[in-house]
Amino acid sequence: MKKLLAEFFGTFWLVFGGCGSAVFAAGVPDIGIGLLGVSLAFGLTVLTMAYAVGHISGGHFNPAVSFGLLAGGRFSAKELVPYIGAQCLGAVTAAGCLYTILNGAGTLDFSQPGAFATNFYDVPVYNGKAFSMGSAFLAEFLLTALFLIVIMGATEKWAHSKFAGIAIGLVLTLIHLISIPITNTSVNPARSLSQAVFTGGLALSQLWLFWVAPILGGIVGGLIYKFLLQRDSREIS
């Protein structure tokens, strides 16, 4: 139960901090944090929770990470469904809190793509560019695969594991710097689900991509690390 609570709170913080920064602070004229600030916010949520509760549950906070660690031999199949359930519940709860706070200002307008930090493809949001479904799928797939490679490498027993949370937080920041203009960055199905259920419409109809691409990417990343990069215990350092 403690593992599931850790995943709940970790994913809650990721959505509340990351999506919350996008919803409330990104677009404020003159003093807003912009895309750089949102990218840092997502990285900081993972970094802080990795040290807060990562030692309890492993600090997945993301169904794609759970799938990837399972493929990489670092996670038990029997825990997969409970972990994903806790992650999704934490994410949706956080989105519900964000929705309630935003509603208190009377500013609920989800008519535009990307509203409420939702993910998207095939619509122009940033600089008038609309990235196709194929482009969005490839970006989410590749970035999640690389995310898993960093996670598995940083938490390898041969690595400097005390700094793993920093590496993982920074790579998530970099992922957002790359892909916010493409899809608003998912690489996390729970994070995509939580925002889409409150906005409906386009975000909900496109949600399938932000489950399928990250999960496939996570699995491939886990397999790449396991079979191509992971050190054998017989290797001499």
Side-chain angles (χ1 to χ4, degrees):
M1 180 58 73
K2 287 184 179 180
K3 289 183 178 181
L4 299 182
L5 285 173
E7 287 297 305
F8 174 91
F9 286 118
T11 315
F12 178 98
W13 184 229
L14 184 150
V15 170
F16 192 84
C19 294
S21 69
V23 170
F24 298 120
V28 180
D30 299 324
I31 60 170
I33 62 174
L35 300 188
L36 174 60
V38 174
S39 299
L40 285 169
F42 272 100
L44 288 171
T45 60
V46 170
L47 188 156
T48 51
M49 275 296 168
Y51 288 109
V53 300
H55 60 284
I56 300 172
S57 67
H60 299 192
F61 318 141
N62 181 339
V65 170
S66 297
F67 270 101
L69 293 176
L70 175 63
R74 301 273 189 91
F75 187 55
S76 170
K78 68 180 182 181
E79 294 186 287
L80 182 63
V81 172
Y83 262 54
I84 292 175
Q87 292 156 2
C88 289
L89 185 59
V92 172
T93 303
C97 292
L98 294 175
Y99 181 94
T100 302
I101 295 169
L102 189 62
N103 189 41
T107 55
L108 289 179
D109 179 8
F110 300 150
S111 59
Q112 297 300 313
F116 201 53
T118 50
N119 299 115
F120 53 79
Y121 60 84
D122 243 354
V123 289
V125 176
Y126 299 105
N127 296 324
K129 293 182 179 180
F131 290 89
S132 68
M133 180 180 69
S135 295
F137 194 101
L138 182 59
E140 290 289 330
F141 174 87
L142 289 175
L143 290 171
T144 313
L146 291 166
F147 191 30
L148 260 293
I149 290 172
V150 172
I151 290 171
M152 292 189 69
T155 56
E156 174 70 69
K157 63 181 178 180
W158 309 105
H160 299 290
S161 58
K162 290 183 180 180
F163 300 103
I166 297 174
I168 294 167
L170 287 176
V171 76
L172 188 61
T173 298
L174 178 57
I175 285 169
H176 280 77
L177 288 172
I178 296 168
S179 59
I180 286 179
I182 304 172
T183 63
N184 239 13
T185 309
S186 173
V187 301
N188 186 335
R191 165 264 188 274
S192 297
L193 171 70
S194 65
Q195 307 310 113
V197 295
F198 283 93
T199 63
L202 180 70
L204 202 56
S205 69
Q206 295 184 344
L207 181 62
W208 68 271
L209 186 145
F210 301 105
W211 273 79
V212 176
I215 287 174
L216 289 179
I219 290 171
V220 169
L223 291 173
I224 288 173
Y225 192 88
K226 179 179 180 180
F227 291 109
L228 299 180
L229 299 173
Q230 188 164 270
R231 289 186 61 182
D232 191 288
S233 60
R234 294 169 294 180
E235 292 183 44
I236 299 175
S237 59

